[in-house]
Amino acid sequence: WFDKLKTSASVAKTRANRKYRNSEYEELDVTIVKATTEEESPPKEKHVRSILSIVYMDRQEGEHEHVLHKLGNRIRGTKSWIVVLKTLNIYHR
């Protein structure tokens, strides 16, 4: 339950961040946080598919770069090996 609480806090922090409020990337940032939670389980496939569809399709200018930047921030900003492993899993796919 503690991991779910931390995930909820990370999602709330992402949504509350003034820099991304009403941003076109807000939902994408939340999806990245949800895909790279600290829960000891594989990332949910729906979140991974959502991220990968943006990387492969690059619907809007800059989305691809934003995903790579945010995934890099997830690796740099955590001490959890689980988050790092999930993030690298997404990079690898």
Side-chain angles (χ1 to χ4, degrees):
W1 68 269
F2 186 69
D3 292 337
K4 290 188 184 283
L5 179 65
K6 287 178 82 173
T7 300
S8 296
S10 293
V11 169
K13 182 179 174 184
T14 301
R15 284 194 170 138
N17 189 343
R18 291 187 189 272
K19 184 176 180 181
Y20 294 110
R21 182 166 284 163
N22 296 326
S23 168
E24 59 193 273
Y25 299 127
E26 180 179 356
E27 287 304 314
L28 175 58
D29 293 345
V30 170
T31 302
I32 290 171
V33 169
K34 286 182 177 181
T36 57
T37 63
E38 292 189 30
E39 295 176 24
E40 289 189 36
S41 62
K44 289 189 177 176
E45 194 61 32
K46 69 178 184 178
H47 299 308
V48 175
R49 271 193 240 128
S50 177
I51 294 167
L52 294 179
S53 71
I54 290 168
V55 170
Y56 290 125
M57 290 184 216
D58 201 17
R59 296 176 303 211
Q60 291 180 328
E61 187 69 33
E63 278 185 334
H64 183 254
E65 291 84 7
H66 182 79
V67 168
L68 296 177
H69 177 74
K70 292 307 279 187
L71 288 172
N73 285 347
R74 285 296 282 171
I75 290 176
R76 282 189 299 279
T78 188
K79 295 179 183 176
S80 170
W81 65 269
I82 299 169
V83 172
V84 172
L85 188 62
K86 286 182 178 184
T87 304
L88 291 174
N89 182 306
I90 294 170
Y91 266 127
H92 182 70
R93 289 175 81 180

